[in-house]
Amino acid sequence: NVNPMGVNLFLEKEVDPANITRTLEMVRDGGFRWARQGFAWNDIEISAKGDYTDSRNPGAPVDAWAKYDRIVAAYERYGIEIIARLDSPPVWARMPGDDTEQFRKGPPRDNNDYGDFVYAVANRYRGKIKYFQIWNEPNLYGEWGGHPVNAEEYTALLKVASTRAREANPDAVIITAALAPTAEDSVANQNDILFLEAMYRAGAAPYFDVLSTMLYGLGYSPHERRTDLKRLNFSRPILLRQVMERNGDTQTPIWISEYAWLSLPPDWKGDPTKNIWGESVDEATQARWLVEGYERVQREWPW
């Protein structure tokens, strides 16, 4: 009895209030009641630990929270529930040498610094936000800031963040970083199924309430049912669920953080060898499969 539909928004990047209003009107009118909204650490605690002022623009420093206060209030006006995505450490919190763009998503040098940030967000918006996603796609080299991916390291980060969020707000719902489907198994990109197994071995289970993953059709129909570690298709979450069941975690749900089929414009001139999203489909097929995929999930996957 909960509206299952959501969108991904980054309203913190929008400078025109009229565009924020228009975006949220479109979300509401489309029937969506959830939004995964970015709360970038490096956009809030920018210059130093405990400093929540923004001195990047000319003129007097401003309260870095002010922008997010306005965003949260706007979501409230339109009846849209926020899933706060918490990642992207500021330069001061990164590992030594991680001061370039490549490392802007890397793990912090001290998980407790991130835990303090999570506490600050959860505490400030208690009663307004209770869903918190801890990082994003840590099983990918690029999303782990150019460092070798490591499920144990991510689990350690999750434990600290989850504990601090629940301290700030006992009603907090903790969502894992969305795992990226990948057939690769290396220190650069680790197979999402194997990464989840390693998370359980590292003791992650008590520290999250929802498992998050990405669901991309990758050119295949939503009715594609073959599953194995090397196959990337719509049925991939079934393998994640099997890992959860093997670890006795049968009550925790899986939520999809990103969901799509690729539909390139007819005049697209890009390099097809660099397309990692699978074979492109026309817009009519994309639209039909998006609906059929939702219907299959609701019909077959009560978890």
Side-chain angles (χ1 to χ4, degrees):
N1 297 320
V2 175
N3 184 311
M5 308 287 233
V7 295
N8 282 281
L9 298 178
F10 294 89
L11 297 184
E12 79 281 5
K13 300 180 184 295
E14 178 55 70
V15 297
D16 186 346
N19 284 343
I20 291 177
T21 298
R22 177 62 183 140
T23 297
L24 292 175
E25 287 175 348
M26 293 169 66
V27 172
R28 177 200 61 195
D29 295 347
F32 299 94
R33 291 296 176 265
W34 297 80
R36 187 174 67 145
Q37 165 66 47
F39 282 72
W41 186 7
N42 60 16
D43 196 38
I44 297 175
E45 198 175 14
I46 303 165
S47 301
K49 187 175 178 65
D51 184 356
Y52 300 103
T53 57
D54 187 348
S55 304
R56 293 172 297 183
N57 297 319
V62 298
D63 181 2
W65 289 113
K67 173 172 64 174
Y68 291 88
D69 291 348
R70 292 191 295 270
I71 289 171
V72 171
Y75 277 111
E76 280 192 299
R77 287 197 300 274
Y78 287 92
I80 299 168
E81 191 90 51
I82 295 173
I83 297 172
R85 170 181 156 176
L86 307 175
D87 57 4
S88 301
V91 171
W92 65 263
R94 298 176 193 169
M95 293 183 182
D98 287 9
D99 56 354
T100 65
E101 181 69 11
Q102 176 187 3
F103 299 107
R104 65 187 175 88
K105 296 182 180 180
R109 65 173 178 235
D110 186 342
N111 289 343
N112 291 311
D113 289 335
Y114 178 65
D116 291 342
F117 167 68
V118 172
Y119 181 95
V121 175
N123 184 60
R124 186 177 187 89
Y125 298 114
R126 185 168 48 190
K128 298 181 179 181
I129 302 176
K130 71 173 186 178
Y131 299 91
F132 301 96
Q133 179 178 303
I134 307 304
W135 226 259
N136 189 61
E137 295 184 334
N139 62 315
L140 296 187
Y141 178 83
E143 294 284 345
W144 200 233
H147 293 276
V149 297
N150 185 301
E152 290 77 13
E153 289 181 1
Y154 170 69
T155 299
L157 184 72
L158 174 66
K159 289 178 179 180
V160 171
S162 175
T163 300
R164 298 306 310 282
R166 289 165 174 169
E167 287 175 2
N169 180 359
D171 294 326
V173 176
I174 307 302
I175 305 169
T176 67
L179 299 181
T182 176
E184 190 176 337
D185 185 23
S186 71
V187 295
N189 300 308
Q190 185 173 18
N191 188 298
D192 46 315
I193 312 304
L194 301 179
F195 192 90
L196 180 60
E197 288 180 340
M199 283 177 59
Y200 277 107
R201 288 195 301 271
Y207 297 96
F208 66 93
D209 304 299
V210 176
L211 177 72
S212 182
T213 189
M214 309 300 193
L215 183 56
Y216 287 100
L218 299 168
Y220 295 99
S221 156
H223 307 293
E224 168 66 58
R225 296 180 180 276
R226 292 174 292 178
T227 58
D228 62 62
L229 285 177
K230 297 293 186 180
R231 188 178 299 280
L232 303 178
N233 60 19
F234 189 86
S235 291
R236 189 85 176 166
I238 293 174
L239 298 179
L240 294 172
R241 179 64 180 179
Q242 290 172 353
V243 172
M244 299 172 77
E245 291 174 347
R246 286 197 297 271
N247 284 275
D249 193 2
T250 59
Q251 300 303 310
T252 300
I254 298 176
W255 287 6
I256 305 304
S257 285
E258 296 174 16
Y259 171 58
W261 275 266
L262 179 70
S263 184
L264 293 169
D267 59 351
W268 185 71
K269 298 293 194 298
D271 181 352
T273 65
K274 297 187 181 301
N275 171 26
I276 63 172
W277 304 108
E279 184 177 346
S280 177
V281 300
D282 60 69
E283 287 190 348
T285 300
Q286 181 192 53
R288 186 177 75 254
W289 282 359
L290 283 167
V291 174
E292 291 177 358
Y294 269 122
E295 291 173 341
R296 180 185 169 193
V297 168
Q298 291 180 315
R299 184 174 61 249
E300 299 181 13
W301 299 348
W303 32 268

